[in-house]
Amino acid sequence: MIELKGGKTAPLLLDDLSNYDPRRPTAALFNHLVSLPRQHENGGVPSIPWYRAQCKHKWAIKDSQCNLPLIIGRPDPNVVSSVAAFCEHCRCHLDLSVDFRRGGIDFCPSEASPLHHFRYQPELSRPRFKAENGSKSDNLQDWEDLTWFQCSSIDCSAKLKIRIRSPRLRPEWVNLLTDKALIKSRSESAISDDPARFEGIAVPQPCDVLSNLRTYIMNALKDPSPRNIQANNKRWLLCLGDPCSELLEYIGFRREDDSWLVPQPDTSERPPISNPLNILLDDVEKELLALLLQRPDDERRVTKVQYILSSATRDLSKALGTSDYRQNPSSRTATSQGLEHPLGAKLDFHDDLIKFAYERQLVVDPDNVPYYLESLQAIADGRKSEELQTLVAIEASSGKVSAQDVRDAYKLLDLDLASAYLDEDVIIGTFQSRVADAPRQEAELRRALQIIGQDRSSEKIQFMASKTVTNYEQALSWLGATTDMDDEFIVAMYKVKEEDNQGEEATARQAVSLIAQHRKSAALKQWLDTGVLGEVEMDVSQAYNRLQIDDRTIGDDFVLSAFTLFYQESPSQVDDLRSALRAIAKDRKSQTLLNFLDSGMASSEYPLGEWPVGLANIGNTCYLNSLLQFYFTMKPLRELVLDFDEHKMTLTAENLVKKVVGSRKISRHEVQRAQSFVYRLQKLFESMITSPRAHVAPELELARLTLVTQPLEAALRRRSTTTGHRPSLGEINGEPVMGPLPPSISEAAIKGTNPTEQLAGPQMNGVNESAEMDNSSEETLLGNDPAEDGVDRDMLDPNIEQCQQQQQQIFEDKENLPPFKEPLERPRTPDSNLRPLGESSPSRTNEQAPMAEPNRDFPHSSSQKKAEQAVIAPPPSRPPPFPPRPHTDDQKQAIVEEVQIGAQQDVTEVISNVLFQLECAIKADSFDPSGEQIDLIKQLFFGKQRSYTLNLQGVLRTKEQFFSSLIVDVASGPKDIYEALDGAFDEQEVEVEGSLRPQYTTITRLPPVLKVMVQRVQFDQEKASAFKSINHLGLKETIYMDRYMDSEDDDLIQRRKESWEWKRQLRQLAARRADLSKTELDMEMPDVLTAAKELLDQLSEDDAFEVPDGLQQDIEKAAVQSRDELTFIDARIKDLTACISSQFVDKREVPYRLQSVFIHVGSATFGHYWIYIRDFEKNVWRKYNDESVSAVTDLSQIFDQDPSDRPPTPYFLVYVKDDLGDRIVDPVCRNVPEDVRPQPGPEHSDTLMNDVIVDDNTALTDNEDGGQGAMAATGGWLKADNKGQKVVW
């Protein structure tokens, strides 16, 4: 293992200071103060060597030698904090000092660095025992051990010095003072010289000797003119006398004639003392006190010795800034005890501090990331900490491996991890020889090689291990070819490679395919499509190796986790990953893996029926799960979905003509797609209510319909028709479909099957759609009548249609066609009759997007087919030849791809997509003057806002429009919720007719459910990349919207204007303050001017420089003025901020309570979502994290700022009108039948949801009410409950 160079947090260093004994080295020369424990090879608890004679120090304070700040606060950069202590047991002396004199930006502990993280500095240290051989650095009885540390935070300058010194009293001197036989011997000698004088005086006890010597020393320290001690003093003779001369002279006593002269320290010196004699006497006095306390209790009782030492722990903690670090009391009984030490952490650390310690170790010791990751994993498992387990998952997703993985990999290849002779060629050569000897172990050996390559950051080793090629250069290298070899030679190299490496046909074909794509070689593509090899299925050993799974006994959920992890890292390798998963599924005969999009393994700790159900992550769908959970808690929306047949819009020509959502007309196919979406959502909601499991899995098609908006879907289709590759559109008669597909009814006719049967299974998704569907919404926007050509699609000859399909397919894949002797005429389709679309202009806050998605699930009935007609060109005289057959994926893969792409879409688009489809699916309750549909969704989630713009003519123009969410920004810095909302409504300048004009916005109607989008993704112009703003948004449980409402109240209008003016002044003051405080010298302007004046003062003393008269005085005056201006600006900013915050404090008539908070952790390009939802009835917040739903006991994780470098941040907020909260929000809706209660056993671990097939009549039959809704257009809105009674909200 590479030498560990990690640091230690201050609390652990303080603990280890008690275990560090420089007098005796431990086994393996382990230094408790600076060393990190090496983990056992079996991955157990780290072993810390211990020598039985080591002292477990108990430090007592030496007050007169300490220098500590009076209060705990920001360190003084001009003061060295020091603590002096001694051990009550071994009497070693400790001198600890923390030096901040090098300056710093933000001393620890701080918000960014809650603790000092000290890194050992060996170049400055002088340990008593050398680490190389264990030899002493001194051979003296008076020794010293010096250790230096530096805080690893770049903003903190703290340097820590720890000096441990030997006891002042040598062992032989201690023996003179405490050995009863020696004391008796010298006492009896003194008595025998003058028996009469000592008659009746007993021999002193060791406590008497120690106490008397301590008294002599203390008197010397206090009395500036101490009296000498007569040599024949009875107490002196009995306790000390001439036999102790060496000790006494060391302390400072001197024999002169018949007297002993006492030491003469500087009694005027005040703490912290620095006089050497003062320090010596203070040290000896403390050691004598320690020796006294070590005497037996009966001896101390007889001599009446009662002393108490003051512990140094509090002062040491104070100096190191560890007095009040965040602790986790429950961890005291956790099974992770001992695992925190490798991270430089303590057992009682809060999870946030464990994360901090782990991240610091990675910064200071990047070579040992596997060691620290393994420790973090063990702690997370021991504590069962969801937060730490999430961090481990994120780290693993970034490619990190643990130390145990590395050790096992080297062991499997019979390589010595500690060998200095290992290089890339040796490792690769060893791997190849092992594979040759044991070919059945190839997958396992290749996985080991992959880990070693990853640990060594060796691309060469990882390439050899991957058994895959991903680019042109790797393909040539793998085949042993060069760029100048022609296509014929490439094929020859392929055959050679195939013969030499049996079982690697798939990799060889991949290499040839990459070369063909790079060279755009039709010859190589033709060889791939017509070769005799055919399609090679991945071997199960290769599949496990591809997903880096060593243990084939792990559960399906871990297999799915591995698949998802690798897909998120490399979406371009999805085909290879799916092949691996498919091979494993077949080998296991696992239905869960074959239907992996609907699986999960979470469990619940809460009573069934009294707790919400979780949603399984089916592949990067954590945001989708949060969104679905939110909508499920909205009781009116949930009831609408569950009773969808009562609200579904009937597809009549009259209804379609009047259908306007999002300010545009809606096509038949959009309604069909939307109704398919609602039916799938209905099935999910029913499962969430009745499932006996802790979680269910959303359908993949539901995820696609939710995440993939119409513009995105249209773009994917356009791309597929131009590139010749359209994933998962399926095939007709065994041939690939490369463009828009023909109607499903025709395909059914060709195959001679029932149309409904064509929808079953995976083939239902993305196959059964017509060519005219792609542009249906465009035709609707242009006002075209779908039935104007008068042709009945049902009456078409299937054989004619098949020919047309084949001819259309050839044109879509024309780049693969062989040359034709005669030109082909492209058939006319509805596409050729379309006019270009004009750009739509959605409102600023209403992000509804047009949804032009054909129905994928419901075949057309005859009556509906007659309304969809197209101009069909006559068939050609003969069918054209089929193009070469490329390798196509199955349809389900296309849905996976669309879901993964959709999961990366803007959050606002996804939310608006859901609301848009819900409105498209249901019938209208009424229409507003513009023709816009009014329904329950519009009433529940949409408000109205009015903008006021002053044009060039001085006329105040107004515009009113719907909005579904308010967008706020935190890019400029931390804000509270009001400050963020103000940005959406305050007066601002907009461009009108080429000039900037003032505009502000008000709310004319608030929805019962108010959504607030937090815009966090920003763009860095310099780096040309997106980044996520992590600025804190201060949330409030209740907000009052009075200040934003449209009103004719003169007082409210005046308050707004005053607030706008104050904010304008704030912006000006902030800009001016920046000018005065930000200079090129990184100093404020007053300091720059003062420094310039001082420099001129120095130059004026030199005759060689001539300073103009009065210049220094002018600069000094300017410095004073700028400093005064800064003072004024700061005071004014404080006053204006107070005015703004209190301007509307009495406006509290429109309260909204916080109901949901969407949280994201990660960067602008990756991360994880979860949601907090409040249950108003039970007054509890819950955290919905995919499969897990748990109660929130610490609300600070929702409302307080997280100090970590990568904090979870709110992305989307939901507020509910205060008086409607209990009626709108209903998070717990469970009705689990008794006969389906879960039974113990692994077979009952999850609930799978497969695609639902809805009968034609069920999906499209008209309602008896003729499409009229149940909601009245009143000031409020109405909703029928399950009993048919209407409830007013």
Side-chain angles (χ1 to χ4, degrees), residues 1055 1058-1059 1062 1066 1132-1145:
R1055 291 194 195 189
E1058 289 176 352
S1059 178
W1062 292 336
L1066 271 180
R1132 182 59 178 160
I1133 288 176
K1134 182 177 180 181
D1135 292 342
L1136 288 175
T1137 303
C1139 290
I1140 293 171
S1141 63
S1142 61
Q1143 181 73 341
F1144 302 98
V1145 70

Side-chain angles (χ1 to χ4, degrees), residues 177-412:
L177 300 175
T178 59
D179 187 282
K180 291 185 177 183
L182 292 177
I183 296 173
K184 181 178 180 181
S185 175
R186 64 174 177 263
S187 297
E188 290 178 346
S189 176
I191 293 172
S192 64
D193 291 340
D194 192 355
R197 185 166 178 251
F198 291 97
E199 185 178 359
I201 299 178
V203 174
Q205 293 294 317
C207 278
D208 297 317
V209 177
L210 296 170
S211 180
N212 286 334
L213 179 56
R214 179 171 176 266
T215 301
Y216 292 134
I217 293 174
M218 292 180 64
N219 289 338
L221 287 169
K222 295 177 181 179
D223 191 350
S225 302
R227 293 182 300 171
N228 296 331
I229 302 172
Q230 294 298 316
N232 63 351
N233 181 286
K234 289 189 291 185
R235 184 169 60 174
W236 178 268
L237 283 173
L238 292 177
C239 292
L240 301 168
D242 291 339
C244 298
S245 297
E246 185 183 8
L247 165 61
L248 296 171
E249 290 173 357
Y250 171 78
I251 297 174
F253 290 87
R254 288 186 300 112
R255 178 69 181 264
E256 188 174 289
D257 298 330
D258 294 331
S259 299
W260 279 91
L261 304 183
V262 299
Q264 295 184 350
D266 183 1
T267 57
S268 64
E269 188 177 27
R270 294 291 177 263
I273 58 177
S274 58
N275 183 287
L277 181 56
N278 289 35
I279 294 176
L280 171 62
L281 293 175
D282 188 57
D283 287 350
V284 172
E285 184 269 327
K286 295 299 188 293
E287 289 187 38
L288 292 172
L289 184 56
L291 290 171
L292 277 167
L293 294 176
Q294 292 173 14
R295 301 307 302 167
D297 291 342
D298 55 349
E299 182 181 318
R300 285 192 287 130
R301 280 196 299 270
V302 171
T303 56
K304 299 181 180 179
V305 175
Q306 298 295 331
Y307 301 108
I308 298 177
L309 294 176
S310 299
S311 172
T313 301
R314 182 178 61 86
D315 294 305
L316 289 171
S317 298
K318 185 177 179 183
L320 293 177
T322 66
S323 299
D324 56 353
Y325 65 87
R326 194 175 181 189
Q327 299 183 13
N328 184 12
S330 62
S331 67
R332 300 185 186 279
T333 58
T335 59
S336 63
Q337 185 170 3
L339 298 172
E340 292 81 1
H341 206 132
L343 298 183
K346 285 185 60 179
L347 174 65
D348 64 351
F349 272 19
H350 189 274
D351 286 352
D352 291 341
L353 291 183
I354 294 291
K355 291 170 59 179
F356 165 76
Y358 167 75
E359 291 166 356
R360 294 314 303 164
Q361 296 294 59
L362 265 57
V363 170
V364 302
D365 191 13
D367 291 335
N368 284 293
V369 169
Y371 176 69
Y372 301 124
L373 178 58
E374 185 172 35
S375 299
L376 179 67
Q377 174 71 67
I379 296 169
D381 294 342
R383 293 188 174 194
K384 297 180 175 57
S385 167
E386 181 181 343
E387 183 176 3
L388 294 182
Q389 288 171 345
T390 299
L391 177 60
V392 170
I394 292 175
E395 294 294 87
S397 70
S398 66
K400 296 183 177 70
V401 296
S402 71
Q404 186 63 51
D405 295 333
V406 175
R407 290 193 296 270
D408 292 344
Y410 278 94
K411 184 177 180 180
L412 185 63

Side-chain angles (χ1 to χ4, degrees), residues 874-1165:
S877 59
R878 60 181 176 84
F882 287 101
R885 177 178 179 178
H887 295 280
T888 59
D889 302 323
D890 59 19
Q891 295 167 322
K892 201 165 187 178
Q893 175 59 31
I895 301 178
V896 172
E897 292 175 350
E898 289 190 22
V899 169
Q900 295 293 345
I901 296 174
Q904 303 172 30
Q905 299 308 298
D906 183 82
V907 172
T908 309
E909 293 181 3
V910 176
I911 294 176
S912 298
N913 182 32
V914 173
L915 298 181
F916 175 81
Q917 293 191 92
L918 287 169
E919 287 200 89
C920 288
I922 64 177
K923 54 193 174 186
D925 295 309
S926 63
F927 300 92
D928 73 356
S930 68
E932 179 77 14
Q933 172 175 309
I934 304 299
D935 48 45
L936 184 144
I937 302 302
K938 194 81 78 184
Q939 293 281 358
L940 187 60
F941 295 105
F942 284 79
K944 278 192 173 183
Q945 64 179 15
R946 178 177 296 150
S947 62
Y948 293 84
T949 308
L950 189 66
N951 65 12
L952 293 174
Q953 292 74 35
V955 178
L956 192 64
R957 295 185 177 274
T958 63
K959 179 182 179 181
E960 189 173 36
Q961 57 190 10
F962 284 103
F963 72 88
S964 63
S965 62
L966 302 176
I967 300 178
V968 300
D969 181 26
V970 293
S972 59
K975 300 177 180 178
D976 68 15
I977 184 63
Y978 284 123
E979 187 179 1
L981 286 171
D982 287 350
F985 296 98
D986 282 350
E987 186 179 68
Q988 53 189 310
E989 291 186 333
V990 297
E991 186 173 346
V992 177
E993 299 176 2
S995 63
L996 296 177
R997 306 300 299 166
Q999 181 187 80
Y1000 69 93
T1001 306
T1002 61
I1003 297 176
T1004 56
R1005 176 190 178 274
L1006 275 168
V1009 181
L1010 178 64
K1011 306 190 301 298
V1012 180
M1013 166 64 62
V1014 185
Q1015 181 62 43
R1016 289 193 177 275
V1017 178
Q1018 309 293 328
F1019 188 78
D1020 189 325
Q1021 297 289 347
E1022 295 182 0
K1023 297 180 180 179
S1025 62
F1027 70 95
K1028 173 188 171 183
S1029 169
I1030 60 174
N1031 289 324
H1032 179 61
L1033 177 63
L1035 305 181
K1036 297 182 182 295
E1037 290 200 33
T1038 303
I1039 60 174
Y1040 300 90
M1041 300 297 293
D1042 307 60
R1043 65 188 70 183
Y1044 308 117
M1045 299 303 296
D1046 194 76
S1047 173
E1048 296 181 357
D1049 183 358
D1050 293 337
D1051 176 63
L1052 180 59
I1053 295 173
Q1054 181 61 31
R1055 291 194 195 189
R1056 284 178 185 157
K1057 292 180 178 180
E1058 289 176 352
S1059 178
W1060 297 340
E1061 174 59 25
W1062 292 336
K1063 291 176 183 178
R1064 184 188 64 80
Q1065 294 179 26
L1066 271 180
R1067 290 191 294 270
Q1068 294 176 345
L1069 291 170
R1072 177 56 180 164
R1073 199 190 193 293
D1075 293 339
L1076 293 175
S1077 60
K1078 296 180 181 179
T1079 64
E1080 295 181 0
L1081 299 177
D1082 199 21
M1083 299 168 59
E1084 291 188 343
M1085 184 58 69
D1087 297 329
V1088 173
L1089 294 171
T1090 300
K1093 190 261 183 186
E1094 292 175 352
L1095 178 61
L1096 290 175
D1097 289 341
Q1098 296 175 8
L1099 295 176
S1100 63
E1101 298 175 0
D1102 192 338
D1103 296 336
F1105 294 92
E1106 183 177 353
V1107 179
D1109 294 338
L1111 179 58
Q1112 293 137 289
Q1113 291 78 9
D1114 291 342
I1115 293 177
E1116 184 176 17
K1117 181 179 179 181
V1120 173
Q1121 290 175 345
S1122 60
R1123 195 175 303 279
D1124 291 343
E1125 185 177 2
L1126 274 176
T1127 302
F1128 168 78
I1129 290 174
D1130 290 340
R1132 182 59 178 160
I1133 288 176
K1134 182 177 180 181
D1135 292 342
L1136 288 175
T1137 303
C1139 290
I1140 293 171
S1141 63
S1142 61
Q1143 181 73 341
F1144 302 98
V1145 70
D1146 58 328
K1147 298 292 184 179
R1148 304 167 69 89
E1149 297 180 2
V1150 189
Y1152 272 71
R1153 283 191 289 171
L1154 186 62
Q1155 186 263 342
S1156 294
V1157 181
F1158 289 71
I1159 297 292
H1160 176 267
V1161 61
S1163 69
T1165 56

Side-chain angles (χ1 to χ4, degrees), residues 838-849:
E839 293 187 0
S840 61
S841 302
S843 66
R844 179 173 65 175
T845 53
N846 183 4
E847 298 291 337
Q848 282 187 316

